[in-house]
Amino acid sequence: MRLVILDDYNLASEWAAKYICNCIIQFKPSQGRYFTLGLPTGSTPLGCYKKLIEYHKNGDLSFKYVKTFNMDEYVGLPRNHPESYHSYMWNNFFKHIDIDPNNAHILDGNAPDLQAECDAFEKKIEEAGGIDLFVGGIGPDGHIAFNEPGSSLASRTRLKTLAMDTILANAKYFDGDLSKVPTMALTVGVGTVMDAREVMILITGAHKAFALYKAIEEGVNHMWTVSAFQQHPRTIFVCDEDATLELRVKTVKYFKGLMHVHNKLVDPLYSMKEEN
Ligand code: GLP
């Protein structure tokens, strides 16, 4: 596991964006050789998406040969609702880059047969050759995607009932009105994310500090589903100082001492201008 600790949210977002950019460029995507990226929603990845858009606008990064798969979507919320994850992804990311809309996959929370929709999503991931880099975020209760506490760590894409902690955390997007927050969602499983060749999880803010501690300093536990990534051979946690508040000083010192190694992953920042 790599734990990358940056001073604040903006630096953590930039580090994550640089890492994604370098992964895509080093892969040398082309017609018939697509880079496959798993993507999250939430407030955490917004800074990272902004940076990726900037790299795209500067001509440094293209998403022409990138396929994306989103982690989750609410059930029953109209697709064009401002808080649907479809709206989120198009408004905050996809409409600003050159991705082919046919290559941006988001679960349909209004599908007539929800399990068939989930099964088809898994199949599409498989047909795309699996996910090269799954970027994720977590809830303060340590859930990844919508894999709430108690979810099987071998789970696949399916329908989940949201936990009260998640409904409370997400109420801010629905005028603080708990009754407006959807109670169910479609989500990739922990097993689906575990199958990715590499996983990068963004954790920022003091309200996620306990979850980060549970994720990396205690055992693998289905009550903190993000802890499953202790068993993934290539996981990077990217966090800010605030998120490390519950970690042992020893842990923080060790990983901070490795920053010069981790920074080699993002410096130099590659550009497609030089590649072509
Ligand atoms: C929801 C999503 C998660 C996301 C989490 C964190 O629960 N299903 O995928 O990681 O929110 O959101 P935020 O980044 O706003 O804290």
Side-chain angles (χ1 to χ4, degrees):
M1 173 197 78
R2 295 183 198 268
L3 176 66
V4 178
I5 304 170
L6 284 307
D7 285 351
D8 59 28
Y9 171 80
N10 287 335
L11 290 172
S13 301
E14 185 177 14
W15 199 100
K18 283 179 171 175
Y19 188 77
I20 295 168
C21 178
N22 276 3
C23 280
I24 295 174
I25 295 177
Q26 282 174 292
F27 183 88
K28 298 191 190 301
S30 61
Q31 181 74 48
R33 181 176 160 80
Y34 282 76
F35 186 85
T36 311
L37 190 58
L39 293 175
T41 54
S43 50
T44 313
L46 285 173
C48 172
Y49 289 147
K50 272 204 185 113
K51 276 280 160 197
L52 289 172
I53 293 167
E54 198 181 300
Y55 302 152
H56 170 65
K57 297 234 149 106
N58 291 343
D60 294 317
L61 179 61
S62 166
F63 293 84
K64 194 167 173 210
Y65 298 117
V66 174
K67 291 186 185 180
T68 63
F69 288 88
N70 262 78
M71 300 196 113
D72 42 21
E73 176 59 289
Y74 290 117
V75 165
L77 205 59
R79 180 182 287 231
N80 60 2
H81 186 286
E83 294 305 332
S84 79
Y85 288 172
H86 273 83
S87 301
Y88 172 103
M89 287 310 296
W90 285 98
N91 294 333
N92 293 307
F93 194 36
F94 295 149
K95 78 175 181 198
H96 306 286
I97 59 173
D98 61 342
I99 193 163
D100 176 344
N102 294 318
N103 290 331
H105 304 280
I106 307 178
L107 285 152
D108 177 1
N110 293 294
D113 182 340
L114 293 171
Q115 192 50 51
E117 169 67 12
C118 294
D119 295 345
F121 197 74
E122 289 273 346
K123 196 146 191 282
K124 274 184 237 162
I125 294 177
E126 200 185 308
E127 284 164 3
I131 298 208
D132 292 302
L133 174 65
F134 219 130
V135 183
I138 65 164
D141 63 357
H143 73 232
I144 176 114
F146 272 128
N147 293 286
E148 300 289 28
S151 292
S152 161
L153 301 184
S155 52
R156 311 302 308 186
T157 306
R158 70 214 183 288
L159 176 66
K160 281 296 288 184
T161 299
L162 304 189
M164 188 43 83
D165 280 349
T166 301
I167 293 175
L168 288 169
N170 289 359
K172 63 181 178 210
Y173 301 115
F174 295 87
D175 312 320
D177 182 347
L178 292 188
S179 70
K180 288 191 191 160
V181 186
T183 56
M184 301 194 102
L186 301 185
T187 177
V188 293
V190 181
T192 316
V193 185
M194 283 291 284
D195 281 353
R197 285 181 267 285
E198 188 164 8
V199 179
M200 180 166 72
I201 299 170
L202 313 179
I203 305 183
T204 55
H207 63 304
K208 303 265 176 88
F210 196 68
L212 180 59
Y213 150 68
K214 284 284 184 180
I216 68 170
E217 285 191 348
E218 289 214 340
V220 173
N221 185 328
H222 65 177
M223 297 312 286
W224 298 84
T225 53
V226 65
S227 66
F229 296 93
Q230 291 177 21
Q231 295 196 312
H232 192 289
R234 283 171 71 90
T235 301
I236 303 185
F237 287 94
V238 180
C239 63
D240 62 0
E241 282 281 344
D242 287 349
T244 67
L245 290 174
E246 299 283 350
L247 298 181
R248 284 182 296 180
V249 173
K250 186 163 84 172
T251 307
V252 174
K253 279 198 168 163
Y254 174 72
F255 285 104
K256 279 198 170 173
L258 284 170
M259 277 309 285
H260 67 287
V261 178
H262 294 151
N263 282 338
K264 289 197 181 120
L265 301 168
V266 298
D267 184 15
L269 178 63
Y270 294 108
S271 165
M272 284 187 175
K273 281 182 200 151
E274 289 145 34
E275 289 291 308
N276 295 326

